[in-house]
Amino acid sequence: MHDEVVKRRKWLGEGQFLDLIGATNLIPGPNSTEMAIHIGYLRAGWPGLIVGGMCFILPAMLIVMGLSWAYVQYGTTPQASWLMYGIQPVVVAIIAKALWIWVAKLSVVHSLRWLGWQYSVCISLR
């Protein structure tokens, strides 16, 4: 979200984005959703708030609904079991990439701690 909003589109400055992260950390709930809704509000007022929220929530909701339906229909069949095992490495890779980018911004000491944490998480997901 940072790359898209601050670097690519230049809708917010670095300071504004960090302030927004601080504000969303105070509110209970999913931070990424709150960030998207708040950015929509800053860009276009109340209509932006509604459109930003719907455009952020609806795709994920539809994907989860489709995967849930597919799992209920085909999850217990032996032919679909390989798919469930294939999803786990993808999810781990997405999380690891996000953590890697975040860790790169930290100092060297903190980076080594986070790398150790990532390793332990990967091992525990086996």
Side-chain angles (χ1 to χ4, degrees):
M1 189 176 288
H2 176 269
D3 290 341
E4 186 70 25
V5 173
V6 176
K7 292 182 179 178
R8 184 167 167 245
R9 297 187 187 265
K10 298 183 183 353
W11 286 347
L12 298 174
E14 188 72 36
Q16 289 176 303
F17 189 81
L18 292 175
D19 288 343
L20 192 54
I21 288 176
T24 57
N25 283 332
L26 296 174
I27 304 168
N31 290 351
S32 57
T33 305
E34 293 166 6
M35 289 277 290
I37 290 171
H38 197 99
I39 290 169
Y41 179 74
L42 291 176
R43 294 288 300 158
W46 287 100
L49 180 139
I50 293 168
V51 170
M54 290 184 67
C55 288
F56 191 81
I57 294 169
L58 280 177
M61 183 187 78
L62 294 173
I63 290 169
V64 169
M65 286 175 62
L67 289 173
S68 300
W69 174 84
Y71 181 75
V72 167
Q73 294 294 317
Y74 306 107
T76 57
T77 62
Q79 295 85 1
S81 63
W82 62 270
L83 183 61
M84 295 304 152
Y85 289 114
I87 290 174
Q88 185 178 2
V90 173
V91 171
V92 169
I94 291 170
I95 293 170
K97 180 181 183 250
L99 285 173
W100 185 260
I101 292 169
W102 185 64
V103 167
K105 295 179 183 179
L106 299 174
S107 69
V108 173
V109 173
H110 292 311
S111 296
L112 292 175
R113 280 190 213 147
W114 278 103
L115 287 174
W117 182 80
Q118 285 178 353
Y119 177 74
S120 63
V121 168
C122 289
I123 293 300
S124 68
L125 290 175
R126 283 180 160 200

